[in-house]
Coordinates of all heavy atoms in Angstrom, one line a residue:
P78 N -14.7 -13.0 20.3 CA -16.0 -13.4 19.7 C -16.0 -13.4 18.2 O -15.3 -12.6 17.6 CB -17.0 -12.3 20.2 CG -16.3 -11.7 21.4 CD -14.8 -11.8 21.1
A79 N -16.7 -14.3 17.6 CA -16.7 -14.5 16.1 C -17.0 -13.2 15.4 O -16.4 -12.9 14.4 CB -17.6 -15.6 15.7
N80 N -18.0 -12.5 15.9 CA -18.4 -11.3 15.2 C -17.3 -10.2 15.3 O -17.1 -9.4 14.3 CB -19.8 -10.7 15.7 CG -19.7 -10.4 17.2 OD1 -18.9 -10.9 17.9 ND2 -20.6 -9.5 17.6
T81 N -16.6 -10.1 16.3 CA -15.5 -9.2 16.5 C -14.4 -9.6 15.5 O -13.8 -8.7 14.8 CB -14.9 -9.2 17.9 OG1 -16.0 -8.8 18.8 CG2 -13.7 -8.2 18.0
F82 N -14.1 -10.9 15.4 CA -13.1 -11.4 14.5 C -13.4 -11.0 13.0 O -12.6 -10.5 12.2 CB -12.8 -12.9 14.7 CG -11.8 -13.4 13.7 CD1 -10.5 -13.2 13.9 CD2 -12.2 -14.2 12.7 CE1 -9.5 -13.7 13.0 CE2 -11.3 -14.8 11.8 CZ -9.9 -14.5 12.0
L83 N -14.7 -11.3 12.7 CA -15.1 -11.0 11.3 C -15.1 -9.5 11.0 O -14.7 -9.1 9.9 CB -16.5 -11.5 11.1 CG -16.6 -13.1 11.0 CD1 -18.1 -13.5 10.9 CD2 -15.8 -13.6 9.8
Q84 N -15.4 -8.7 12.0 CA -15.3 -7.2 11.8 C -13.9 -6.8 11.6 O -13.6 -5.9 10.7 CB -16.0 -6.5 12.9 CG -16.0 -5.0 12.7 CD -16.8 -4.6 11.5 OE1 -17.9 -5.1 11.3 NE2 -16.2 -3.8 10.6
L85 N -13.0 -7.4 12.3 CA -11.5 -7.0 12.2 C -11.1 -7.5 10.8 O -10.3 -6.7 10.1 CB -10.7 -7.7 13.2 CG -10.7 -7.1 14.6 CD1 -10.0 -8.0 15.6 CD2 -10.1 -5.7 14.6
R86 N -11.5 -8.6 10.3 CA -11.2 -9.1 8.9 C -11.7 -8.1 7.9 O -11.0 -7.7 7.0 CB -11.8 -10.4 8.6 CG -11.0 -11.6 9.3 CD -11.5 -12.9 8.9 NE -11.4 -13.1 7.4 CZ -12.1 -13.9 6.7 NH1 -12.9 -14.8 7.3 NH2 -11.9 -14.0 5.4
R87 N -12.9 -7.6 8.1 CA -13.5 -6.7 7.1 C -12.8 -5.4 7.1 O -12.5 -4.8 6.1 CB -15.0 -6.4 7.4 CG -15.9 -7.5 6.9 CD -17.4 -7.1 7.0 NE -17.9 -7.0 8.3 CZ -18.4 -8.1 9.0 NH1 -18.5 -9.3 8.5 NH2 -18.8 -7.9 10.2
D88 N -12.4 -4.9 8.3 CA -11.7 -3.6 8.5 C -10.3 -3.6 7.9 O -9.8 -2.6 7.5 CB -11.7 -3.2 9.9 CG -13.0 -2.7 10.5 OD1 -13.9 -2.4 9.7 OD2 -13.1 -2.7 11.7
S89 N -9.7 -4.8 7.9 CA -8.3 -4.9 7.4 C -8.2 -5.4 6.0 O -7.1 -5.7 5.5 CB -7.5 -5.8 8.4 OG -8.1 -7.1 8.3
D90 N -9.3 -5.4 5.2 CA -9.3 -5.9 3.9 C -9.2 -4.8 2.9 O -10.2 -4.2 2.4 CB -10.5 -6.8 3.6 CG -10.4 -7.5 2.2 OD1 -9.4 -7.3 1.5 OD2 -11.4 -8.2 1.9
M91 N -8.0 -4.4 2.5 CA -7.8 -3.3 1.6 C -8.4 -3.6 0.2 O -8.9 -2.7 -0.5 CB -6.3 -2.9 1.5 CG -5.8 -2.3 2.8 SD -5.1 -3.6 3.9 CE -3.5 -3.8 3.3
L92 N -8.3 -4.8 -0.2 CA -8.9 -5.2 -1.5 C -10.4 -4.9 -1.6 O -10.9 -4.4 -2.6 CB -8.6 -6.7 -1.8 CG -7.2 -7.0 -2.1 CD1 -7.1 -8.5 -2.2 CD2 -6.7 -6.3 -3.4
A93 N -11.1 -5.1 -0.5 CA -12.5 -4.9 -0.4 C -12.8 -3.4 -0.4 O -13.8 -2.9 -0.9 CB -13.2 -5.6 0.8
H94 N -12.0 -2.6 0.3 CA -12.2 -1.2 0.4 C -11.7 -0.4 -0.8 O -12.2 0.8 -1.0 CB -11.5 -0.7 1.7 CG -12.1 -1.1 2.9 ND1 -13.3 -0.6 3.4 CD2 -11.7 -2.1 3.8 CE1 -13.6 -1.2 4.6 NE2 -12.7 -2.2 4.8
L95 N -10.9 -0.9 -1.6 CA -10.4 -0.2 -2.8 C -11.5 0.2 -3.7 O -12.4 -0.7 -4.1 CB -9.3 -1.1 -3.5 CG -8.7 -0.5 -4.7 CD1 -7.8 0.7 -4.3 CD2 -7.8 -1.5 -5.5
D96 N -11.5 1.4 -4.1 CA -12.5 1.8 -5.1 C -11.9 2.9 -6.1 O -10.9 3.4 -5.8 CB -13.9 2.3 -4.5 CG -13.8 3.5 -3.7 OD1 -13.2 4.5 -4.1 OD2 -14.3 3.5 -2.5
K97 N -12.7 3.2 -7.1 CA -12.1 4.2 -8.1 C -12.0 5.6 -7.6 O -11.2 6.4 -8.2 CB -13.0 4.2 -9.4 CG -14.4 4.7 -9.1 CD -15.2 4.7 -10.4 CE -16.6 5.2 -10.2 NZ -16.7 6.5 -9.5
D98 N -12.5 5.9 -6.5 CA -12.4 7.3 -5.9 C -11.2 7.4 -4.9 O -11.0 8.5 -4.4 CB -13.7 7.6 -5.2 CG -14.9 7.7 -6.2 OD1 -14.7 8.2 -7.3 OD2 -16.0 7.3 -5.8
D99 N -10.5 6.3 -4.7 CA -9.3 6.4 -3.8 C -8.2 7.1 -4.5 O -8.2 7.3 -5.8 CB -8.9 5.0 -3.5 CG -9.8 4.3 -2.5 OD1 -10.5 5.0 -1.8 OD2 -9.9 3.0 -2.5
P100 N -7.3 7.7 -3.7 CA -6.2 8.4 -4.3 C -5.3 7.5 -5.2 O -5.3 6.3 -5.0 CB -5.4 8.9 -3.1 CG -5.8 8.1 -2.0 CD -7.2 7.6 -2.3
P101 N -4.5 8.1 -6.1 CA -3.6 7.2 -6.9 C -2.6 6.5 -6.0 O -2.1 6.9 -5.0 CB -2.9 8.3 -7.8 CG -3.6 9.5 -7.6 CD -4.4 9.5 -6.4
L102 N -2.3 5.3 -6.5 CA -1.4 4.4 -5.8 C -0.2 4.0 -6.6 O -0.3 3.9 -7.9 CB -2.1 3.1 -5.4 CG -3.5 3.2 -4.7 CD1 -4.2 1.9 -4.6 CD2 -3.2 3.8 -3.3
H103 N 0.9 3.8 -6.0 CA 2.2 3.4 -6.7 C 2.9 2.4 -5.8 O 3.4 2.8 -4.7 CB 3.0 4.7 -6.9 CG 4.3 4.4 -7.8 ND1 5.3 3.7 -7.3 CD2 4.6 4.9 -9.0 CE1 6.3 3.7 -8.2 NE2 5.8 4.4 -9.3
F104 N 3.1 1.2 -6.3 CA 3.8 0.2 -5.5 C 4.8 -0.5 -6.3 O 4.7 -0.6 -7.6 CB 2.8 -0.8 -4.8 CG 2.0 -0.2 -3.8 CD1 0.7 0.2 -4.1 CD2 2.5 0.1 -2.5 CE1 -0.1 0.8 -3.1 CE2 1.7 0.7 -1.5 CZ 0.4 1.0 -1.8
S105 N 5.9 -1.0 -5.7 CA 6.9 -1.8 -6.4 C 6.3 -3.2 -6.7 O 5.3 -3.6 -6.2 CB 8.1 -2.0 -5.5 OG 7.8 -2.8 -4.4
P106 N 6.9 -3.9 -7.7 CA 6.3 -5.1 -8.1 C 6.4 -6.3 -7.2 O 5.8 -7.3 -7.4 CB 7.2 -5.5 -9.4 CG 8.1 -4.4 -9.6 CD 8.0 -3.5 -8.5
G107 N 7.1 -6.2 -6.1 CA 7.1 -7.3 -5.1 C 8.2 -8.2 -5.5 O 8.9 -8.1 -6.5
K108 N 8.5 -9.2 -4.6 CA 9.5 -10.2 -4.8 C 8.9 -11.5 -5.3 O 7.8 -11.8 -4.9 CB 10.3 -10.4 -3.5 CG 11.0 -9.2 -3.0 CD 11.8 -9.6 -1.7 CE 12.5 -8.3 -1.2 NZ 13.2 -8.6 0.1
Q109 N 9.7 -12.2 -6.1 CA 9.2 -13.5 -6.5 C 9.1 -14.4 -5.3 O 9.9 -14.3 -4.3 CB 10.2 -14.2 -7.5 CG 10.3 -13.4 -8.8 CD 8.9 -13.5 -9.6 OE1 8.3 -14.5 -9.7 NE2 8.4 -12.3 -10.0
G110 N 8.1 -15.3 -5.3 CA 8.0 -16.2 -4.2 C 6.6 -16.0 -3.5 O 5.8 -15.3 -4.0
Q111 N 6.5 -16.7 -2.3 CA 5.2 -16.7 -1.6 C 5.3 -16.1 -0.2 O 4.5 -16.5 0.6 CB 4.7 -18.2 -1.6 CG 4.5 -18.7 -3.0 CD 4.2 -20.2 -3.0 OE1 5.1 -21.0 -2.5 NE2 3.1 -20.6 -3.5
G112 N 6.2 -15.2 0.0 CA 6.4 -14.6 1.3 C 5.6 -13.4 1.5 O 4.7 -13.0 0.7
V113 N 5.8 -12.7 2.6 CA 5.0 -11.5 2.9 C 5.3 -10.3 2.0 O 4.5 -9.4 2.0 CB 5.2 -11.0 4.4 CG1 4.7 -12.1 5.3 CG2 6.7 -10.7 4.6
H114 N 6.3 -10.3 1.1 CA 6.6 -9.3 0.1 C 6.4 -9.8 -1.3 O 6.9 -9.3 -2.2 CB 8.0 -8.7 0.3 CG 8.2 -8.2 1.7 ND1 9.3 -8.5 2.5 CD2 7.5 -7.3 2.4 CE1 9.2 -7.9 3.6 NE2 8.1 -7.2 3.6
S115 N 5.6 -10.8 -1.4 CA 5.4 -11.5 -2.7 C 4.8 -10.7 -3.8 O 3.9 -9.8 -3.6 CB 4.5 -12.7 -2.5 OG 4.2 -13.4 -3.7
H116 N 5.2 -10.9 -5.0 CA 4.6 -10.3 -6.2 C 3.2 -10.7 -6.4 O 2.4 -10.1 -7.0 CB 5.4 -10.7 -7.4 CG 5.3 -12.1 -7.8 ND1 5.9 -13.2 -7.0 CD2 4.7 -12.8 -8.8 CE1 5.6 -14.3 -7.6 NE2 4.8 -14.1 -8.6
L117 N 2.8 -11.8 -5.7 CA 1.4 -12.3 -5.8 C 0.4 -11.3 -5.1 O -0.7 -11.2 -5.6 CB 1.3 -13.7 -5.2 CG 2.1 -14.7 -6.0 CD1 2.2 -16.1 -5.2 CD2 1.6 -14.9 -7.4
F118 N 0.9 -10.7 -4.1 CA 0.0 -9.6 -3.5 C -0.2 -8.5 -4.5 O -1.3 -7.9 -4.6 CB 0.7 -9.1 -2.2 CG 0.6 -10.0 -1.0 CD1 1.7 -10.4 -0.3 CD2 -0.7 -10.4 -0.5 CE1 1.6 -11.2 0.8 CE2 -0.8 -11.2 0.6 CZ 0.4 -11.6 1.2
V119 N 0.9 -8.1 -5.2 CA 0.8 -7.0 -6.2 C -0.1 -7.4 -7.3 O -1.0 -6.6 -7.8 CB 2.2 -6.6 -6.7 CG1 2.1 -5.6 -7.8 CG2 3.0 -6.1 -5.5
K120 N -0.1 -8.7 -7.7 CA -1.0 -9.2 -8.8 C -2.4 -9.1 -8.3 O -3.3 -8.7 -9.1 CB -0.6 -10.6 -9.2 CG 0.6 -10.7 -10.1 CD 0.9 -12.1 -10.5 CE 2.1 -12.2 -11.3 NZ 1.8 -12.2 -12.8
A121 N -2.7 -9.5 -7.1 CA -4.1 -9.4 -6.5 C -4.5 -7.9 -6.5 O -5.7 -7.6 -6.8 CB -4.1 -10.0 -5.1
L122 N -3.6 -7.0 -6.1 CA -4.0 -5.6 -6.1 C -4.2 -5.1 -7.5 O -5.2 -4.4 -7.7 CB -2.8 -4.8 -5.4 CG -3.0 -3.4 -5.2 CD1 -4.3 -3.1 -4.3 CD2 -1.8 -2.8 -4.5
Q123 N -3.4 -5.5 -8.4 CA -3.6 -5.1 -9.8 C -4.9 -5.6 -10.4 O -5.6 -4.8 -11.0 CB -2.5 -5.6 -10.7 CG -1.2 -4.9 -10.6 CD -0.1 -5.5 -11.5 OE1 0.2 -6.7 -11.3 NE2 0.4 -4.7 -12.4
K124 N -5.2 -6.8 -10.1 CA -6.5 -7.4 -10.6 C -7.7 -6.6 -10.0 O -8.6 -6.2 -10.8 CB -6.6 -8.9 -10.2 CG -7.9 -9.5 -10.6 CD -7.9 -11.0 -10.2 CE -9.2 -11.6 -10.7 NZ -9.8 -12.5 -9.8
R125 N -7.7 -6.3 -8.8 CA -8.8 -5.6 -8.1 C -8.9 -4.2 -8.7 O -10.0 -3.7 -9.0 CB -8.6 -5.6 -6.6 CG -9.7 -4.9 -5.9 CD -11.0 -5.6 -6.0 NE -12.0 -4.8 -5.2 CZ -13.3 -4.6 -5.7 NH1 -13.7 -5.1 -6.8 NH2 -14.1 -3.8 -4.9
A126 N -7.7 -3.5 -8.8 CA -7.7 -2.1 -9.3 C -8.3 -2.1 -10.7 O -9.1 -1.2 -11.1 CB -6.3 -1.6 -9.3
A127 N -7.9 -3.1 -11.6 CA -8.4 -3.1 -12.9 C -9.9 -3.4 -13.0 O -10.7 -2.8 -13.8 CB -7.7 -4.2 -13.7
E128 N -10.4 -4.2 -12.1 CA -11.9 -4.5 -12.0 C -12.7 -3.2 -11.7 O -13.8 -3.1 -12.2 CB -12.2 -5.5 -10.9 CG -11.7 -6.9 -11.2 CD -11.8 -7.8 -10.0 OE1 -12.1 -7.4 -8.9 OE2 -11.4 -9.0 -10.2
I129 N -12.2 -2.4 -10.9 CA -13.0 -1.2 -10.4 C -12.5 0.1 -11.0 O -13.1 1.2 -10.7 CB -13.0 -1.1 -8.9 CG1 -11.6 -1.0 -8.4 CG2 -13.7 -2.3 -8.3 CD1 -11.5 -0.6 -6.9
G130 N -11.4 0.1 -11.7 CA -10.9 1.4 -12.3 C -10.1 2.3 -11.4 O -10.1 3.5 -11.6
A131 N -9.5 1.7 -10.4 CA -8.6 2.5 -9.5 C -7.3 2.8 -10.2 O -6.8 2.0 -11.0 CB -8.4 1.7 -8.2
A132 N -6.7 4.0 -9.8 CA -5.5 4.4 -10.4 C -4.3 3.7 -9.6 O -4.1 4.0 -8.5 CB -5.3 5.9 -10.2
L133 N -3.6 2.8 -10.3 CA -2.5 2.0 -9.7 C -1.4 2.0 -10.7 O -1.6 1.6 -11.8 CB -3.0 0.6 -9.4 CG -2.0 -0.4 -8.9 CD1 -1.3 0.1 -7.6 CD2 -2.6 -1.8 -8.8
T134 N -0.2 2.3 -10.2 CA 1.0 2.2 -10.9 C 1.9 1.2 -10.2 O 2.1 1.2 -9.0 CB 1.8 3.5 -11.0 OG1 1.0 4.5 -11.6 CG2 3.1 3.4 -11.7
I135 N 2.4 0.2 -11.0 CA 3.3 -0.8 -10.4 C 4.7 -0.5 -11.2 O 4.8 -0.7 -12.4 CB 2.9 -2.2 -10.7 CG1 1.5 -2.4 -10.0 CG2 3.9 -3.2 -10.1 CD1 1.4 -2.2 -8.5
Q136 N 5.7 -0.1 -10.4 CA 7.0 0.2 -11.0 C 8.0 0.1 -9.8 O 7.7 0.7 -8.8 CB 7.0 1.5 -11.6 CG 8.3 1.9 -12.3 CD 8.3 3.3 -12.9 OE1 7.4 4.1 -12.6 NE2 9.3 3.6 -13.6
G137 N 9.1 -0.5 -10.1 CA 10.2 -0.5 -9.1 C 11.0 0.8 -9.1 O 11.0 1.5 -10.0
G138 N 11.8 0.9 -8.0 CA 12.7 2.0 -8.0 C 12.2 3.2 -7.2 O 11.1 3.7 -7.4
T139 N 13.1 3.6 -6.3 CA 12.8 4.8 -5.4 C 12.6 6.1 -6.2 O 11.7 6.9 -5.9 CB 13.8 5.0 -4.4 OG1 13.9 3.7 -3.6 CG2 13.5 6.1 -3.4
P140 N 13.4 6.4 -7.3 CA 13.2 7.6 -8.0 C 11.8 7.7 -8.6 O 11.2 8.8 -8.5 CB 14.2 7.6 -9.1 CG 15.3 6.7 -8.6 CD 14.6 5.6 -7.8
A141 N 11.3 6.7 -9.2 CA 9.9 6.7 -9.7 C 8.9 7.0 -8.6 O 7.9 7.8 -8.8 CB 9.6 5.5 -10.5
L142 N 9.0 6.3 -7.5 CA 8.1 6.5 -6.4 C 8.1 7.9 -5.9 O 7.1 8.5 -5.6 CB 8.4 5.5 -5.3 CG 7.5 5.6 -4.1 CD1 6.0 5.3 -4.4 CD2 8.0 4.5 -3.0
L143 N 9.3 8.4 -5.7 CA 9.5 9.8 -5.2 C 8.8 10.8 -6.2 O 8.1 11.7 -5.8 CB 10.9 10.2 -5.0 CG 11.6 9.5 -3.8 CD1 13.1 9.8 -3.7 CD2 10.9 10.0 -2.5
R144 N 9.1 10.6 -7.5 CA 8.5 11.5 -8.5 C 6.9 11.5 -8.4 O 6.2 12.5 -8.4 CB 8.9 11.2 -9.9 CG 10.3 11.7 -10.3 CD 10.6 11.5 -11.7 NE 10.5 10.1 -12.2 CZ 11.6 9.3 -12.1 NH1 12.7 9.7 -11.6 NH2 11.4 8.0 -12.5
F145 N 6.4 10.3 -8.2 CA 5.0 10.0 -8.1 C 4.4 10.8 -6.9 O 3.5 11.5 -7.0 CB 4.7 8.5 -8.0 CG 3.3 8.2 -7.8 CD1 2.4 8.1 -8.8 CD2 2.8 7.9 -6.5 CE1 1.0 7.8 -8.6 CE2 1.5 7.6 -6.3 CZ 0.6 7.5 -7.3
L146 N 5.0 10.5 -5.7 CA 4.5 11.0 -4.5 C 4.6 12.5 -4.4 O 3.7 13.3 -4.1 CB 5.1 10.4 -3.2 CG 4.8 8.9 -3.0 CD1 5.6 8.3 -1.9 CD2 3.3 8.7 -2.7
V147 N 5.8 13.0 -4.7 CA 6.0 14.5 -4.6 C 5.2 15.2 -5.7 O 4.6 16.3 -5.4 CB 7.5 14.8 -4.7 CG1 7.8 16.3 -4.8 CG2 8.3 14.3 -3.5
G148 N 5.1 14.6 -6.9 CA 4.2 15.2 -7.9 C 2.8 15.3 -7.4 O 2.2 16.4 -7.7
H149 N 2.3 14.3 -6.7 CA 0.9 14.4 -6.2 C 0.8 15.4 -5.1 O -0.2 16.1 -4.9 CB 0.4 13.1 -5.9 CG 0.0 12.3 -7.1 ND1 -1.1 12.6 -7.8 CD2 0.6 11.3 -7.8 CE1 -1.2 11.7 -8.9 NE2 -0.1 11.0 -8.9
M150 N 1.8 15.5 -4.3 CA 1.8 16.5 -3.2 C 1.8 17.9 -3.8 O 1.2 18.8 -3.2 CB 3.0 16.3 -2.2 CG 2.8 15.1 -1.3 SD 4.1 15.0 0.0 CE 5.6 14.8 -0.9
R151 N 2.5 18.1 -4.9 CA 2.6 19.4 -5.5 C 1.3 19.7 -6.4 O 1.2 20.8 -6.9 CB 3.8 19.5 -6.4 CG 5.1 19.6 -5.6 CD 6.3 19.7 -6.6 NE 7.5 19.9 -5.8 CZ 8.7 19.7 -6.4 NH1 8.8 19.4 -7.6 NH2 9.8 19.9 -5.6
G152 N 0.5 18.7 -6.6 CA -0.7 18.9 -7.4 C -0.5 18.6 -8.9 O -1.3 19.0 -9.7
T153 N 0.7 18.1 -9.2 CA 0.9 17.8 -10.6 C 1.3 16.3 -10.7 O 2.0 15.7 -9.9 CB 2.1 18.6 -11.1 OG1 3.3 18.2 -10.4 CG2 1.9 20.1 -11.0
A154 N 0.7 15.7 -11.7 CA 1.0 14.2 -12.0 C 2.4 14.1 -12.6 O 2.7 14.9 -13.5 CB 0.0 13.6 -12.9
P155 N 3.2 13.2 -12.1 CA 4.5 13.0 -12.7 C 4.4 12.4 -14.1 O 3.4 11.8 -14.4 CB 5.2 12.1 -11.8 CG 4.1 11.3 -11.2 CD 2.9 12.3 -11.1
P156 N 5.4 12.7 -15.0 CA 5.3 12.1 -16.3 C 5.5 10.6 -16.2 O 6.2 10.1 -15.2 CB 6.5 12.7 -17.1 CG 7.4 13.2 -16.0 CD 6.6 13.5 -14.8
P157 N 4.9 9.8 -17.1 CA 5.2 8.4 -17.1 C 6.7 8.1 -17.2 O 7.4 8.9 -17.8 CB 4.4 7.8 -18.3 CG 3.5 8.9 -18.7 CD 4.1 10.2 -18.2
P158 N 7.2 7.0 -16.6 CA 8.6 6.7 -16.6 C 9.2 6.6 -18.0 O 10.3 7.0 -18.2 CB 8.7 5.4 -15.9 CG 7.4 4.9 -15.6 CD 6.4 6.0 -15.9
W159 N 8.4 6.2 -19.0 CA 9.0 6.1 -20.4 C 9.2 7.4 -21.0 O 9.8 7.5 -22.0 CB 8.1 5.2 -21.2 CG 6.7 5.6 -21.2 CD1 6.1 6.5 -22.1 CD2 5.6 5.2 -20.4 NE1 4.8 6.7 -21.8 CE2 4.4 5.9 -20.7 CE3 5.5 4.3 -19.3 CZ2 3.2 5.7 -20.1 CZ3 4.3 4.2 -18.7 CH2 3.2 4.9 -19.0
E160 N 8.7 8.5 -20.4 CA 8.9 9.8 -21.0 C 10.1 10.6 -20.3 O 10.4 11.6 -20.7 CB 7.6 10.7 -20.8 CG 6.5 10.2 -21.7 CD 5.3 11.1 -21.6 OE1 5.3 12.2 -20.9 OE2 4.2 10.7 -22.1

Side-chain angles (χ1 to χ4, degrees):
N80 61 337
T81 302
F82 179 73
L83 289 174
Q84 186 59 49
L85 285 172
R86 285 187 58 200
R87 281 191 289 273
D88 288 344
S89 62
D90 187 4
M91 294 87 86
L92 291 173
H94 290 283
L95 183 65
D96 65 49
K97 66 178 178 50
D98 296 322
D99 288 334
L102 305 170
H103 185 293
F104 292 100
S105 67
K108 295 180 180 179
Q109 293 296 310
Q111 297 168 305
V113 295
H114 302 130
S115 175
H116 69 289
L117 298 170
F118 284 122
V119 176
K120 285 183 179 264
L122 185 56
Q123 283 179 300
K124 179 180 180 218
R125 178 70 179 138
E128 289 170 356
I129 60 166
L133 172 64
T134 300
I135 302 299
Q136 181 183 10
T139 303
L142 178 61
L143 288 174
R144 281 190 299 272
F145 174 87
L146 292 173
V147 173
H149 283 285
M150 286 189 296
R151 289 181 176 166
T153 60
W159 54 87
E160 291 181 9

